[in-house]
Every structure is written in C-alpha cells, then in structure tokens.
Amino acid sequence: MDFLYDVKTSFVREMKPLISGWVWLAFGLVQPLLYIGLFVPLLGDVGGDGVSALQWFIPGMMVMLTLFGTAMVGWSLTEELLSGVLERFLATPMSRPAILMGRALKEMFPLFFQAVVMIVIAVPFGLRLFPVEMLYGLVLLGLFGVGVAALSYALAIAAKNNTSLFYMVSQSVALPLMLLGGVLLPLDGGPDWLYIASRFNPLTYLIEAERALFVGELFNVTVLYGTVVVGVTLVVGLAVGATAIRRASL
C-alpha cells in the first residue's frame, strides 16, 4: 500500500504543473494539425478500398506524437538533476520506483488529450468513428507512452548532468524508429531493403495495429502484434527505469 501511495504522491506532484500549463498542450497540437491540413490532401487514396486518407494518416501521427513526446520527457528530469530538486526528492522515504512510475503514468494524460482533439477535429473532414476500436487504440498508445517515458527517465539518470548526451541519444533512437515505421508515407511501394528493415522496427507493428483499429478491425493478428509490442515496451521500460532510479547516485 505504501508503494501505491508513493505512486499517487509522485503522480499528483507531476500533474499540477501539467494542468496549470494546459496552453502548452494546445500549442503541441499545432504541428500535427498542420500536417493533417497540408499533407493529407497529397496522400490521395493511400488508405485503399475507398478508405479516407485520414483513417490511415491520423493513427500514424498519433504514434509519432507519442514517441517524440515521451522520448523527451527525461529532459525535465535532467533539469531537476542540475537544480538538485531530484536529489532532495530521492532523500525522502518514498520508494524510488514509485517516484518514477508516478512520473511515467502522468504522460498518459497529455497523449489522450492530444489524440482526442485530433480525432474530433478530423471528423468533419471525413474521419469515420469506431468508438470501441479507437478507444483500445488510445489505451495502447497510453501504455506505450508510459514504457517509453520510463526509458527516457532511465536515460536521463544515466546521462546525469550531460543534457547534450541525453538529447543526442534520444533523438538518434527516436528518429530512425519513426522514419522506418512509415508514419508519413507507406513503405509497401518503396525499395525492398527499406520494407525489410521496417519489419525489424517494433514501432511498425504498433502503427499497423493503430491503423487497423481506426478502420474498425479489432480481432486480427495485426492488432495482436501491436499489443505484444506495447506490452513488451511497458514491461521493459518500467523494469529498466526502476533499476536505474534504484541505483541512482546523485
């Protein structure tokens, strides 16, 4: 029970600045909305079989937002490392893994907010709604974001005061994953080597699962593969993050 109470304490602490800074969440929507407004019209019938390009593009954009949004959350931890805030926090009797888990769980809320706003805005332009399937897709994104956020915090702890190292490593991992996932354009029509490389990218399976869910397909093997990727990312992320914060010497 003490562990859950510590998770709650850490979660509430992180949510307060998020709620008071909701304007930044709104600003975070500007770039994806520009992509939807200026890029989607160029995609033609990329969804295939009369499916709106929005059903194909918005799930990919949501995964991209989740990946880059959570991969960089460790940056806030590096600032706390530099200011000594985290050092004082770790000196309390709170469980260290609970501190990290509370921070990571907080990341689900901005992801839900941004995804729901994107869906609502896209509906008048032709996005068809599949409530149950889309809700499952949002849950997958939230859990994936928690796993990636935990890995980002672990990287920040490992980098300590070296913010440049944190930025370089996080971007060097996130960018290839995003490009090889086929977020902006389908990889089926590209060179064979590019398509084969994408099959080794775990993010590809999450993007494909989200696209299947956004056309109303819930019970198929594509969604199963995406669910497995999310489960592995969540377990590995929390395990690595918990180990890193237990061993942290500040």
Side-chain angles (χ1 to χ4, degrees), residues 17-37:
L18 179 67
I19 294 173
S20 61
W22 62 270
V23 175
W24 294 107
L25 288 177
F27 266 107
L29 284 167
V30 172
Q31 187 174 351
L33 292 181
L34 285 175
Y35 271 106
I36 293 172

Side-chain angles (χ1 to χ4, degrees), residues 14-174:
E14 295 300 319
M15 283 296 292
K16 287 180 179 177
L18 179 67
I19 294 173
S20 61
W22 62 270
V23 175
W24 294 107
L25 288 177
F27 266 107
L29 284 167
V30 172
Q31 187 174 351
L33 292 181
L34 285 175
Y35 271 106
I36 293 172
L38 303 178
F39 196 82
V40 170
L42 302 175
L43 295 176
D45 59 347
V46 69
D49 299 329
V51 176
S52 167
L54 288 169
Q55 303 300 139
W56 184 90
F57 189 74
I58 285 187
M61 185 58 64
M62 287 165 46
V63 173
M64 187 178 80
L65 277 178
T66 302
L67 176 64
F68 280 95
T70 54
M72 293 304 296
V73 295
W75 187 272
S76 63
L77 198 62
T78 61
E79 292 180 348
E80 293 190 12
L81 283 164
L82 289 170
S83 63
V85 172
L86 184 64
E87 184 178 15
R88 292 193 291 274
F89 211 63
L90 294 183
T92 67
M94 291 180 65
S95 162
R96 289 189 174 192
I99 294 173
L100 181 134
M101 187 171 291
R103 295 182 73 113
L105 287 175
K106 179 264 296 181
E107 303 305 331
M108 296 181 68
F109 287 86
L111 297 176
F112 275 121
F113 170 77
Q114 292 177 326
V116 169
V117 171
M118 286 176 61
I119 290 172
V120 169
I121 290 176
V123 168
F125 297 97
L127 180 73
R128 289 186 61 195
L129 291 179
F130 299 94
V132 174
E133 292 82 358
M134 288 178 169
L135 179 60
Y136 185 66
L138 293 181
V139 171
L140 287 183
L141 283 178
L143 296 177
F144 178 75
V146 171
V148 176
L151 290 172
S152 180
Y153 289 135
L155 174 60
I157 293 171
K160 293 191 174 180
N161 300 331
N162 194 337
T163 55
S164 298
L165 177 64
F166 170 82
Y167 183 83
M168 181 181 67
V169 174
S170 59
Q171 290 297 301
S172 298
V173 173

Side-chain angles (χ1 to χ4, degrees), residues 130 133 209-220 222-223:
F130 299 94
E133 292 82 358
E210 292 291 337
R211 285 174 175 152
L213 290 167
F214 266 64
V215 294
E217 298 175 2
L218 180 59
F219 299 104
N220 66 31
T222 302
V223 176

Side-chain angles (χ1 to χ4, degrees), residues 63 67 136 139-141 143-148 151 177 198-210 221-237:
V63 173
L67 176 64
Y136 185 66
V139 171
L140 287 183
L141 283 178
L143 296 177
F144 178 75
V146 171
V148 176
L151 290 172
L177 287 176
S198 73
R199 307 323 294 173
F200 292 93
N201 177 12
L203 200 69
T204 300
Y205 299 95
L206 175 58
I207 293 173
E208 291 178 348
E210 292 291 337
V221 70
T222 302
V223 176
L224 176 62
Y225 288 160
T227 303
V228 171
V229 167
V230 170
V232 171
T233 304
L234 180 65
V235 172
V236 171

